[in-house]
Amino acid sequence: DDRWLEFLIDRIAVEHEQLTASTLVGYLHEPLLLRLARTADADAVGASVVAGAAAEDAEERLMALTDTHPLPSVRTQLLRLLTGVASSSRCVEQLYQLWDAATDQRLSERDYMTLAYELAVRLPQQADAIVEKQRSRLTNPDRRRQFDFIARAVTPSVSQRDALFTSLADPENRRIEPWTLSLLYYLNHPLRDLQSVAYIEPALALLPELQRTGDIFFPANWCSNLLAGHRSPQAAQAVEHFLATHPELHPLLRNKIWTAAYLLFNTSMVN
């Protein structure tokens, strides 16, 4: 709801208490993420950045607050928020310029890596160049290995993403679980909601194996990263179909799916 979004931005702009301001910024995530998901084009090979006047105005105001808000921590929090949810061409261009210069001290090296992933999804024609430039900035070998692992998921090539998702069935290819979870999120990025619906049921089918072979928290985090970017009725239907056709699934795993799909089900019912 645009009025709710406007109210939150108005309150954040004048809030000087750090905990309250930070909490309000957190409330922005879901409405902005939903708006981003609605820009996804099911027929596009890559993501196109489209936004209406209301989204443009909201993101303009938030971007301005990244420079003017009285609390430095909130300025950084807003910038990180916009990195993940920006849907307007103007905001994406501003984020690109910030990333390209790489001089903003508010962002860490990890922040710039995340910004590169997000920009590559939003600007598919520049994706390879963005990934290559960000990689060239990384001097730590482990950080570069992490970037190389995750950046494969932001390719505009649907066939490459399909092959990458299929490879996750091999335990060796998900050995480093935090990297795997990030890769899974970008394969199911909000701007690829309808393109990646096909991943949902096969990914959920891996849960019993993940429970046997992974960390105790891996199955829940797998569900969360799989479904975090999905808000479409088609995605909700895929989850419901999986649950209906797998009555043997352990109740603990079923509960993890229901928990991860909470916002998906709530949103899809009003779409």
Side-chain angles (χ1 to χ4, degrees):
D1 186 283
D2 291 337
R3 290 172 299 178
W4 170 240
L5 196 56
E6 291 171 6
F7 170 78
L8 284 174
I9 297 173
D10 288 343
R11 288 294 302 128
I12 291 166
V14 298
E15 183 55 63
H16 288 239
E17 202 286 314
Q18 184 167 327
L19 180 59
T20 303
S22 178
T23 301
L24 291 171
V25 173
Y27 290 153
L28 286 171
H29 183 265
E30 180 58 24
L32 289 174
L33 185 68
L34 178 58
R35 184 168 291 181
L36 177 66
R38 285 172 175 165
T39 69
D41 181 355
D43 299 320
V45 172
S48 59
V49 178
V50 182
E56 192 93 32
D57 181 63
E59 291 177 13
E60 282 283 326
R61 294 182 64 194
L62 291 172
M63 184 60 78
L65 286 172
T66 67
D67 291 322
T68 63
H69 197 280
L71 297 172
S73 62
V74 173
R75 295 199 293 268
T76 301
Q77 187 182 3
L78 285 169
L79 193 53
R80 288 172 174 160
L81 170 75
L82 286 169
T83 293
V85 299
S87 61
S88 70
S89 298
R90 170 69 175 155
C91 188
V92 171
E93 176 60 25
Q94 290 175 294
L95 290 171
Y96 178 85
Q97 294 301 329
L98 185 151
W99 168 82
D100 194 40
T103 56
D104 196 313
Q105 296 300 308
R106 292 172 296 179
L107 299 182
S108 67
E109 185 174 60
R110 289 189 182 277
D111 289 326
Y112 279 109
M113 290 165 63
T114 299
L115 190 48
Y117 302 142
E118 294 286 350
L119 288 170
V121 174
R122 287 165 173 77
L123 304 170
Q125 293 182 336
Q126 301 176 55
D128 290 344
I130 289 170
V131 168
E132 182 178 351
K133 184 168 184 175
Q134 183 60 42
R135 187 181 193 277
S136 71
R137 295 171 172 172
L138 303 175
T139 57
N140 182 289
D142 289 336
R143 192 69 56 80
R144 182 173 283 191
R145 283 179 55 236
Q146 177 185 3
F147 183 78
D148 288 344
F149 185 92
I150 298 170
R152 298 174 299 162
V154 300
T155 174
S157 169
V158 177
S159 62
Q160 289 181 32
R161 296 201 305 269
D162 288 348
L164 183 56
F165 173 75
T166 301
S167 74
L168 295 179
D170 184 343
E172 183 61 26
N173 293 327
R174 52 177 196 266
R175 184 169 50 84
I176 305 179
E177 293 178 1
W179 299 3
T180 302
L181 293 171
S182 294
L183 181 143
L184 185 65
Y185 172 78
Y186 285 109
L187 286 175
N188 292 272
H189 191 277
L191 281 170
R192 293 169 172 167
D193 186 354
L194 298 182
Q195 297 173 16
S196 58
V197 164
Y199 300 155
I200 292 177
E201 293 197 53
L204 294 178
L206 288 172
L207 283 174
E209 180 184 343
L210 301 182
Q211 188 178 46
R212 289 193 302 271
T213 61
D215 179 84
I216 187 173
F217 299 110
F218 193 37
N221 291 333
W222 176 271
C223 292
S224 295
N225 282 267
L226 172 69
L227 300 177
H230 287 285
R231 293 295 181 272
S232 67
Q234 294 90 330
Q237 290 165 10
V239 175
E240 290 176 332
H241 182 264
F242 176 83
L243 291 169
T245 55
H246 291 77
E248 79 290 350
L249 191 68
H250 195 283
L252 288 177
L253 293 178
R254 298 181 76 86
N255 287 339
K256 295 182 194 305
I257 296 172
W258 282 114
T259 300
Y262 176 78
L263 287 174
L264 167 61
F265 286 137
N266 279 4
T267 303
S268 65
M269 286 190 293
V270 298
N271 277 349

